[in-house]
Tab-separated table of all heavy atoms in Angstrom:
chain	number	residue	atom	x	y	z
Q	546	LYS	N	-17.682	-5.454	2.892
Q	546	LYS	CA	-17.939	-5.569	1.467
Q	546	LYS	C	-18.596	-4.334	0.872
Q	546	LYS	O	-18.332	-3.974	-0.269
Q	546	LYS	CB	-18.787	-6.786	1.180
Q	546	LYS	CG	-18.071	-8.092	1.426
Q	546	LYS	CD	-18.934	-9.271	1.083
Q	546	LYS	CE	-18.160	-10.568	1.331
Q	546	LYS	NZ	-18.951	-11.740	0.988
Q	547	LYS	N	-19.464	-3.660	1.634
Q	547	LYS	CA	-20.224	-2.543	1.076
Q	547	LYS	C	-19.938	-1.193	1.727
Q	547	LYS	O	-20.469	-0.186	1.297
Q	547	LYS	CB	-21.722	-2.839	1.174
Q	547	LYS	CG	-22.131	-4.032	0.342
Q	547	LYS	CD	-23.613	-4.268	0.414
Q	547	LYS	CE	-23.978	-5.470	-0.430
Q	547	LYS	NZ	-25.405	-5.764	-0.411
Q	548	LYS	N	-19.116	-1.163	2.757
Q	548	LYS	CA	-18.845	0.081	3.463
Q	548	LYS	C	-17.398	0.497	3.209
Q	548	LYS	O	-16.487	-0.291	3.407
Q	548	LYS	CB	-19.054	-0.102	4.975
Q	548	LYS	CG	-20.481	-0.438	5.348
Q	548	LYS	CD	-20.606	-0.649	6.837
Q	548	LYS	CE	-22.008	-1.022	7.244
Q	548	LYS	NZ	-22.105	-1.251	8.692
Q	549	SER	N	-17.226	1.747	2.805
Q	549	SER	CA	-15.870	2.239	2.566
Q	549	SER	C	-15.787	3.744	2.764
Q	549	SER	O	-16.802	4.449	2.779
Q	549	SER	CB	-15.411	1.887	1.141
Q	549	SER	OG	-16.198	2.562	0.196
Q	550	THR	N	-14.565	4.209	2.924
Q	550	THR	CA	-14.270	5.633	3.031
Q	550	THR	C	-13.117	5.941	2.083
Q	550	THR	O	-12.133	5.210	2.048
Q	550	THR	CB	-13.876	6.032	4.483
Q	550	THR	OG1	-14.990	5.827	5.327
Q	550	THR	CG2	-13.420	7.468	4.567
Q	551	ILE	N	-13.262	7.009	1.326
Q	551	ILE	CA	-12.190	7.504	0.460
Q	551	ILE	C	-11.444	8.575	1.242
Q	551	ILE	O	-12.052	9.527	1.741
Q	551	ILE	CB	-12.735	8.099	-0.851
Q	551	ILE	CG1	-13.583	7.068	-1.610
Q	551	ILE	CG2	-11.596	8.647	-1.702
Q	551	ILE	CD1	-12.828	5.867	-2.099
Q	552	VAL	N	-10.142	8.432	1.352
Q	552	VAL	CA	-9.297	9.392	2.040
Q	552	VAL	C	-8.452	10.079	0.979
Q	552	VAL	O	-7.707	9.430	0.233
Q	552	VAL	CB	-8.366	8.695	3.082
Q	552	VAL	CG1	-7.511	9.714	3.788
Q	552	VAL	CG2	-9.183	7.880	4.060
Q	553	GLU	N	-8.588	11.404	0.868
Q	553	GLU	CA	-7.799	12.195	-0.080
Q	553	GLU	C	-6.998	13.212	0.705
Q	553	GLU	O	-7.470	13.753	1.697
Q	553	GLU	CB	-8.719	12.912	-1.060
Q	553	GLU	CG	-9.550	11.979	-1.926
Q	553	GLU	CD	-10.498	12.724	-2.833
Q	553	GLU	OE1	-10.923	13.843	-2.501
Q	553	GLU	OE2	-10.828	12.171	-3.892
Q	554	PHE	N	-5.783	13.498	0.217
Q	554	PHE	CA	-4.939	14.458	0.926
Q	554	PHE	C	-3.836	14.957	0.012
Q	554	PHE	O	-3.508	14.345	-1.003
Q	554	PHE	CB	-4.349	13.843	2.201
Q	554	PHE	CG	-3.553	12.578	1.943
Q	554	PHE	CD1	-2.174	12.629	1.838
Q	554	PHE	CD2	-4.189	11.345	1.824
Q	554	PHE	CE1	-1.446	11.466	1.605
Q	554	PHE	CE2	-3.470	10.184	1.587
Q	554	PHE	CZ	-2.092	10.251	1.477
Q	555	ASP	N	-3.262	16.120	0.360
Q	555	ASP	CA	-2.113	16.679	-0.330
Q	555	ASP	C	-0.861	16.412	0.497
Q	555	ASP	O	-0.903	16.511	1.727
Q	555	ASP	CB	-2.251	18.200	-0.495
Q	555	ASP	CG	-3.357	18.573	-1.453
Q	555	ASP	OD1	-3.680	17.772	-2.341
Q	555	ASP	OD2	-3.890	19.697	-1.325
Q	556	ILE	N	0.213	16.092	-0.186
Q	556	ILE	CA	1.526	16.007	0.448
Q	556	ILE	C	2.310	17.205	-0.064
Q	556	ILE	O	2.590	17.316	-1.266
Q	556	ILE	CB	2.248	14.700	0.104
Q	556	ILE	CG1	1.412	13.504	0.563
Q	556	ILE	CG2	3.648	14.683	0.751
Q	556	ILE	CD1	1.921	12.171	0.047
Q	557	VAL	N	2.629	18.120	0.820
Q	557	VAL	CA	3.341	19.344	0.463
Q	557	VAL	C	4.806	19.159	0.795
Q	557	VAL	O	5.163	18.926	1.952
Q	557	VAL	CB	2.745	20.558	1.206
Q	557	VAL	CG1	3.515	21.826	0.846
Q	557	VAL	CG2	1.264	20.693	0.922
Q	558	ASP	N	5.667	19.251	-0.209
Q	558	ASP	CA	7.112	19.136	-0.008
Q	558	ASP	C	7.669	20.539	0.143
Q	558	ASP	O	7.593	21.357	-0.778
Q	558	ASP	CB	7.754	18.436	-1.210
Q	558	ASP	CG	9.239	18.192	-1.029
Q	558	ASP	OD1	9.845	18.774	-0.097
Q	558	ASP	OD2	9.806	17.446	-1.832
Q	559	THR	N	8.219	20.818	1.311
Q	559	THR	CA	8.762	22.151	1.592
Q	559	THR	C	10.281	22.188	1.485
Q	559	THR	O	10.917	23.057	2.052
Q	559	THR	CB	8.323	22.626	2.987
Q	559	THR	OG1	8.849	21.710	3.958
Q	559	THR	CG2	6.832	22.723	3.103
Q	560	GLY	N	10.833	21.221	0.767
Q	560	GLY	CA	12.290	21.183	0.621
Q	560	GLY	C	12.939	20.394	1.732
Q	560	GLY	O	13.770	20.909	2.467
Q	561	GLY	N	12.554	19.164	1.880
Q	561	GLY	CA	13.133	18.304	2.909
Q	561	GLY	C	12.110	17.796	3.888
Q	561	GLY	O	12.298	16.751	4.507
Q	562	GLU	N	11.039	18.529	4.071
Q	562	GLU	CA	9.977	18.073	4.978
Q	562	GLU	C	8.691	17.921	4.189
Q	562	GLU	O	8.336	18.755	3.362
Q	562	GLU	CB	9.768	19.105	6.086
Q	562	GLU	CG	8.760	18.668	7.107
Q	562	GLU	CD	8.622	19.673	8.248
Q	562	GLU	OE1	8.990	20.844	8.090
Q	562	GLU	OE2	8.136	19.260	9.293
Q	563	LYS	N	7.977	16.828	4.460
Q	563	LYS	CA	6.703	16.580	3.794
Q	563	LYS	C	5.584	16.757	4.803
Q	563	LYS	O	5.599	16.168	5.868
Q	563	LYS	CB	6.684	15.192	3.173
Q	563	LYS	CG	7.687	15.078	2.022
Q	563	LYS	CD	7.506	13.825	1.235
Q	563	LYS	CE	8.362	13.673	0.028
Q	563	LYS	NZ	9.451	14.489	-0.217
Q	564	ILE	N	4.613	17.598	4.446
Q	564	ILE	CA	3.513	17.931	5.338
Q	564	ILE	C	2.200	17.503	4.688
Q	564	ILE	O	2.002	17.720	3.498
Q	564	ILE	CB	3.481	19.453	5.615
Q	564	ILE	CG1	4.804	19.902	6.248
Q	564	ILE	CG2	2.303	19.821	6.490
Q	564	ILE	CD1	4.979	21.392	6.293
Q	565	VAL	N	1.322	16.887	5.465
Q	565	VAL	CA	0.015	16.480	4.969
Q	565	VAL	C	-0.982	17.614	5.192
Q	565	VAL	O	-1.079	18.146	6.308
Q	565	VAL	CB	-0.487	15.204	5.685
Q	565	VAL	CG1	-1.881	14.838	5.235
Q	565	VAL	CG2	0.457	14.053	5.432
Q	566	LYS	N	-1.696	17.991	4.127
Q	566	LYS	CA	-2.682	19.065	4.220
Q	566	LYS	C	-3.923	18.674	3.442
Q	566	LYS	O	-3.893	17.757	2.629
Q	566	LYS	CB	-2.121	20.369	3.648
Q	566	LYS	CG	-1.011	20.966	4.474
Q	566	LYS	CD	-0.696	22.355	3.998
Q	566	LYS	CE	0.274	22.977	4.974
Q	566	LYS	NZ	-0.001	24.367	5.182
Q	567	ASN	N	-4.984	19.409	3.651
Q	567	ASN	CA	-6.233	19.268	2.894
Q	567	ASN	C	-6.772	17.847	2.891
Q	567	ASN	O	-7.121	17.300	1.851
Q	567	ASN	CB	-6.054	19.777	1.461
Q	567	ASN	CG	-5.614	21.231	1.425
Q	567	ASN	OD1	-6.101	22.030	2.197
Q	567	ASN	ND2	-4.695	21.554	0.550
Q	568	ILE	N	-6.855	17.237	4.053
Q	568	ILE	CA	-7.401	15.889	4.178
Q	568	ILE	C	-8.925	15.956	4.020
Q	568	ILE	O	-9.573	16.787	4.647
Q	568	ILE	CB	-7.055	15.274	5.553
Q	568	ILE	CG1	-5.535	15.210	5.754
Q	568	ILE	CG2	-7.675	13.891	5.694
Q	568	ILE	CD1	-5.113	14.859	7.173
Q	569	THR	N	-9.458	15.085	3.171
Q	569	THR	CA	-10.910	14.953	3.057
Q	569	THR	C	-11.286	13.491	3.191
Q	569	THR	O	-10.572	12.602	2.719
Q	569	THR	CB	-11.447	15.507	1.722
Q	569	THR	OG1	-10.775	14.882	0.643
Q	569	THR	CG2	-11.250	17.000	1.612
Q	570	LEU	N	-12.383	13.251	3.856
Q	570	LEU	CA	-12.885	11.903	4.084
Q	570	LEU	C	-14.298	11.830	3.514
Q	570	LEU	O	-15.164	12.618	3.885
Q	570	LEU	CB	-12.926	11.596	5.595
Q	570	LEU	CG	-11.607	11.817	6.338
Q	570	LEU	CD1	-11.849	11.814	7.844
Q	570	LEU	CD2	-10.624	10.752	5.955
Q	571	LYS	N	-14.519	10.877	2.608
Q	571	LYS	CA	-15.836	10.696	1.989
Q	571	LYS	C	-16.254	9.251	2.195
Q	571	LYS	O	-15.526	8.332	1.850
Q	571	LYS	CB	-15.766	11.001	0.493
Q	571	LYS	CG	-15.353	12.413	0.178
Q	571	LYS	CD	-15.185	12.603	-1.301
Q	571	LYS	CE	-14.579	13.960	-1.607
Q	571	LYS	NZ	-14.233	14.097	-3.007
Q	572	SER	N	-17.449	9.078	2.762
Q	572	SER	CA	-17.918	7.745	3.097
Q	572	SER	C	-19.249	7.447	2.431
Q	572	SER	O	-20.064	8.344	2.240
Q	572	SER	CB	-18.081	7.644	4.620
Q	572	SER	OG	-18.587	6.363	4.976
Q	573	ASN	N	-19.445	6.178	2.091
Q	573	ASN	CA	-20.729	5.778	1.527
Q	573	ASN	C	-21.695	5.295	2.625
Q	573	ASN	O	-22.780	4.837	2.322
Q	573	ASN	CB	-20.560	4.710	0.455
Q	573	ASN	CG	-20.054	3.390	1.011
Q	573	ASN	OD1	-19.712	3.264	2.173
Q	573	ASN	ND2	-19.998	2.389	0.145
Q	574	TRP	N	-21.265	5.384	3.883
Q	574	TRP	CA	-22.150	4.917	4.963
Q	574	TRP	C	-22.103	5.740	6.242
Q	574	TRP	O	-23.025	5.744	7.016
Q	574	TRP	CB	-21.867	3.449	5.275
Q	574	TRP	CG	-20.528	3.219	5.904
Q	574	TRP	CD1	-19.320	3.240	5.266
Q	574	TRP	CD2	-20.245	2.954	7.263
Q	574	TRP	NE1	-18.303	2.996	6.152
Q	574	TRP	CE2	-18.845	2.811	7.389
Q	574	TRP	CE3	-21.040	2.808	8.392
Q	574	TRP	CZ2	-18.229	2.537	8.589
Q	574	TRP	CZ3	-20.411	2.534	9.594
Q	574	TRP	CH2	-19.023	2.402	9.682
Q	575	ARG	N	-21.014	6.467	6.476
Q	575	ARG	CA	-20.958	7.300	7.691
Q	575	ARG	C	-21.647	8.638	7.431
Q	575	ARG	O	-21.448	9.251	6.397
Q	575	ARG	CB	-19.508	7.570	8.085
Q	575	ARG	CG	-18.853	6.401	8.741
Q	575	ARG	CD	-17.575	6.861	9.449
Q	575	ARG	NE	-16.828	5.732	9.912
Q	575	ARG	CZ	-16.812	5.334	11.173
Q	575	ARG	NH1	-17.481	5.997	12.078
Q	575	ARG	NH2	-16.111	4.282	11.527
Q	576	ASP	N	-22.399	9.092	8.403
Q	576	ASP	CA	-23.092	10.371	8.263
Q	576	ASP	C	-22.150	11.559	8.474
Q	576	ASP	O	-22.358	12.608	7.903
Q	576	ASP	CB	-24.235	10.476	9.279
Q	576	ASP	CG	-25.367	9.531	8.954
Q	576	ASP	OD1	-25.545	9.202	7.758
Q	576	ASP	OD2	-26.082	9.122	9.880
Q	577	TYR	N	-21.147	11.383	9.310
Q	577	TYR	CA	-20.297	12.519	9.643
Q	577	TYR	C	-18.820	12.131	9.662
Q	577	TYR	O	-18.453	11.106	10.210
Q	577	TYR	CB	-20.647	13.089	11.019
Q	577	TYR	CG	-19.658	14.137	11.472
Q	577	TYR	CD1	-19.726	15.415	10.947
Q	577	TYR	CD2	-18.649	13.835	12.360
Q	577	TYR	CE1	-18.807	16.376	11.315
Q	577	TYR	CE2	-17.718	14.787	12.751
Q	577	TYR	CZ	-17.810	16.060	12.213
Q	577	TYR	OH	-16.893	17.005	12.572
Q	578	TYR	N	-18.049	12.969	9.045
Q	578	TYR	CA	-16.593	12.967	9.190
Q	578	TYR	C	-16.184	14.427	9.360
Q	578	TYR	O	-16.834	15.321	8.811
Q	578	TYR	CB	-15.899	12.403	7.961
Q	578	TYR	CG	-15.587	10.927	8.009
Q	578	TYR	CD1	-15.947	10.092	6.972
Q	578	TYR	CD2	-14.901	10.367	9.077
Q	578	TYR	CE1	-15.650	8.740	6.994
Q	578	TYR	CE2	-14.606	9.023	9.118
Q	578	TYR	CZ	-14.983	8.214	8.075
Q	578	TYR	OH	-14.678	6.876	8.109
Q	579	PRO	N	-15.106	14.697	10.065
Q	579	PRO	CA	-14.682	16.089	10.227
Q	579	PRO	C	-14.282	16.692	8.883
Q	579	PRO	O	-13.786	16.005	8.006
Q	579	PRO	CB	-13.487	16.000	11.175
Q	579	PRO	CG	-12.998	14.594	11.035
Q	579	PRO	CD	-14.206	13.761	10.729
Q	580	ILE	N	-14.516	17.983	8.740
Q	580	ILE	CA	-14.150	18.704	7.523
Q	580	ILE	C	-12.706	19.165	7.637
Q	580	ILE	O	-12.339	19.837	8.613
Q	580	ILE	CB	-15.093	19.901	7.292
Q	580	ILE	CG1	-16.518	19.384	7.122
Q	580	ILE	CG2	-14.644	20.731	6.100
Q	580	ILE	CD1	-17.569	20.460	7.114
Q	581	LYS	N	-11.873	18.783	6.679
Q	581	LYS	CA	-10.447	19.136	6.631
Q	581	LYS	C	-9.752	18.932	7.981
Q	581	LYS	O	-9.199	19.866	8.566
Q	581	LYS	CB	-10.262	20.554	6.118
Q	581	LYS	CG	-10.729	20.691	4.696
Q	581	LYS	CD	-10.168	21.906	4.053
Q	581	LYS	CE	-10.669	21.898	2.614
Q	581	LYS	NZ	-9.944	22.748	1.761
Q	582	PRO	N	-9.763	17.712	8.499
Q	582	PRO	CA	-9.093	17.459	9.785
Q	582	PRO	C	-7.570	17.537	9.648
Q	582	PRO	O	-7.021	17.439	8.550
Q	582	PRO	CB	-9.527	16.035	10.117
Q	582	PRO	CG	-9.712	15.380	8.788
Q	582	PRO	CD	-10.271	16.465	7.900
Q	583	GLN	N	-6.935	17.718	10.769
Q	583	GLN	CA	-5.477	17.680	10.845
Q	583	GLN	C	-5.089	16.444	11.632
Q	583	GLN	O	-5.835	15.985	12.488
Q	583	GLN	CB	-4.944	18.931	11.546
Q	583	GLN	CG	-5.248	20.208	10.815
Q	583	GLN	CD	-4.755	21.403	11.602
Q	583	GLN	OE1	-4.611	21.357	12.826
Q	583	GLN	NE2	-4.507	22.495	10.906
Q	584	ILE	N	-3.892	15.926	11.372
Q	584	ILE	CA	-3.374	14.811	12.139
Q	584	ILE	C	-2.607	15.379	13.330
Q	584	ILE	O	-1.697	16.194	13.155
Q	584	ILE	CB	-2.454	13.908	11.304
Q	584	ILE	CG1	-3.228	13.299	10.131
Q	584	ILE	CG2	-1.844	12.804	12.164
Q	584	ILE	CD1	-2.362	12.552	9.143
Q	585	ILE	N	-2.991	14.933	14.533
Q	585	ILE	CA	-2.297	15.396	15.741
Q	585	ILE	C	-1.993	14.183	16.622
Q	585	ILE	O	-2.462	13.087	16.364
Q	585	ILE	CB	-3.147	16.419	16.543
Q	585	ILE	CG1	-4.419	15.754	17.084
Q	585	ILE	CG2	-3.454	17.652	15.711
Q	585	ILE	CD1	-5.113	16.582	18.158
Q	586	THR	N	-1.232	14.412	17.671
Q	586	THR	CA	-0.998	13.401	18.697
Q	586	THR	C	-1.805	13.822	19.923
Q	586	THR	O	-1.652	14.943	20.405
Q	586	THR	CB	0.500	13.309	19.051
Q	586	THR	OG1	1.243	13.076	17.871
Q	586	THR	CG2	0.755	12.203	20.037
Q	587	ASN	N	-2.656	12.922	20.415
Q	587	ASN	CA	-3.476	13.281	21.575
Q	587	ASN	C	-2.700	13.093	22.883
Q	587	ASN	O	-1.523	12.744	22.860
Q	587	ASN	CB	-4.811	12.492	21.575
Q	587	ASN	CG	-4.622	10.998	21.749
Q	587	ASN	OD1	-3.594	10.511	22.193
Q	587	ASN	ND2	-5.658	10.244	21.399
Q	588	THR	N	-3.364	13.305	23.998
Q	588	THR	CA	-2.685	13.257	25.298
Q	588	THR	C	-2.201	11.849	25.655
Q	588	THR	O	-1.332	11.703	26.503
Q	588	THR	CB	-3.631	13.755	26.413
Q	588	THR	OG1	-4.845	12.982	26.388
Q	588	THR	CG2	-3.957	15.219	26.238
Q	589	ARG	N	-2.751	10.822	25.012
Q	589	ARG	CA	-2.305	9.439	25.242
Q	589	ARG	C	-1.168	9.039	24.273
Q	589	ARG	O	-0.735	7.904	24.273
Q	589	ARG	CB	-3.476	8.474	25.081
Q	589	ARG	CG	-4.532	8.642	26.146
Q	589	ARG	CD	-5.635	7.599	26.053
Q	589	ARG	NE	-6.289	7.554	24.769
Q	589	ARG	CZ	-7.375	8.248	24.425
Q	589	ARG	NH1	-7.907	9.084	25.303
Q	589	ARG	NH2	-7.911	8.131	23.244
Q	590	GLY	N	-0.755	9.981	23.432
Q	590	GLY	CA	0.332	9.697	22.491
Q	590	GLY	C	-0.115	8.995	21.225
Q	590	GLY	O	0.701	8.516	20.456
Q	591	GLU	N	-1.435	8.939	20.981
Q	591	GLU	CA	-1.969	8.300	19.795
Q	591	GLU	C	-2.211	9.342	18.702
Q	591	GLU	O	-2.570	10.490	18.994
Q	591	GLU	CB	-3.325	7.627	20.092
Q	591	GLU	CG	-3.297	6.620	21.203
Q	591	GLU	CD	-4.688	6.235	21.662
Q	591	GLU	OE1	-5.601	7.084	21.637
Q	591	GLU	OE2	-4.852	5.064	22.047
Q	592	TYR	N	-2.030	8.926	17.461
Q	592	TYR	CA	-2.393	9.803	16.360
Q	592	TYR	C	-3.901	9.835	16.234
Q	592	TYR	O	-4.570	8.813	16.415
Q	592	TYR	CB	-1.785	9.341	15.046
Q	592	TYR	CG	-0.305	9.572	14.956
Q	592	TYR	CD1	0.599	8.519	14.987
Q	592	TYR	CD2	0.194	10.866	14.854
Q	592	TYR	CE1	1.952	8.736	14.899
Q	592	TYR	CE2	1.563	11.096	14.792
Q	592	TYR	CZ	2.445	10.035	14.802
Q	592	TYR	OH	3.780	10.262	14.721
Q	593	CYS	N	-4.448	11.016	15.944
Q	593	CYS	CA	-5.873	11.131	15.716
Q	593	CYS	C	-6.128	12.295	14.779
Q	593	CYS	O	-5.222	13.071	14.469
Q	593	CYS	CB	-6.631	11.318	17.039
Q	593	CYS	SG	-6.212	12.804	17.933
C-alpha cells in the first residue's frame, strides 16, 4: 500500500528494432537502485 518504485525509460526505434535506454528507478522506500541500469541476461538465463 505504501511502497512503490517508479520505472522510467526510453524506447528508441532504430527502424525495425526497439531498444530500451536510459532506465531510471525511483523509490519511496528503497535506499539504493542502480543508476541507469541495462537489461541483460545473466548466466542462469534470467533477465536482470
Side-chain angles (χ1 to χ4, degrees):
K546 291 182 180 181
K547 296 183 180 180
K548 297 178 182 179
S549 65
T550 295
I551 303 295
V552 181
E553 298 177 332
F554 57 97
D555 292 334
I556 301 170
V557 179
D558 184 348
T559 61
E562 184 177 20
K563 293 191 175 13
I564 301 169
V565 176
K566 292 191 172 218
N567 301 320
I568 301 169
T569 55
L570 306 166
K571 299 175 188 172
S572 177
N573 67 353
W574 68 285
R575 283 196 188 258
D576 290 333
Y577 172 77
Y578 266 129
I580 298 170
K581 296 198 178 197
Q583 297 177 335
I584 298 172
I585 65 165
T586 304
N587 65 18
T588 56
R589 293 185 304 269
E591 303 167 327
Y592 287 110
C593 62

